[in-house]
Amino acid sequence: MVLRNVADLAQAPTAEKKTPVILTITQVNELLTKVKEDRLYALYVCAVSLGMREGELLALNWEDIDFEKKTLKIDKQLQYVPH
């Protein structure tokens, strides 16, 4: 039988607070103009227009797009977890 909770002795790591970078409409237009010929152009458009997280963007597949219904299914994410 354990007499005390040993987890109380551990210190939880603190998360770094990051200030989000918010682009203006002018900056978004400039960005999309500069990447117009890039193979990831559609990814950039999704990022700035839908507010998707990085992991959600990276997990997208062509099967997630229904061109007839004009919908995009966002139901997964991709993450790198270091060992």
Side-chain angles (χ1 to χ4, degrees), residues 3-62:
L3 299 176
R4 63 181 173 165
N5 184 355
V6 293
D8 289 338
L9 302 174
Q11 287 185 338
T14 57
E16 292 181 32
K17 292 190 177 186
K18 297 179 184 178
T19 304
V21 177
I22 301 171
L23 301 178
T24 65
I25 297 293
T26 304
Q27 291 171 321
V28 168
N29 289 333
E30 185 177 332
L31 170 69
L32 293 179
T33 300
K34 289 186 178 185
V35 297
K36 187 77 172 173
E37 301 301 319
D38 192 289
R39 67 184 184 90
L40 298 176
Y41 178 74
L43 188 77
Y44 297 127
V45 171
C46 287
V48 297
S49 61
L50 300 177
M52 296 172 63
R53 296 179 182 99
E54 180 182 13
E56 294 169 334
L57 289 163
L58 295 175
L60 287 175
N61 292 306
W62 286 109

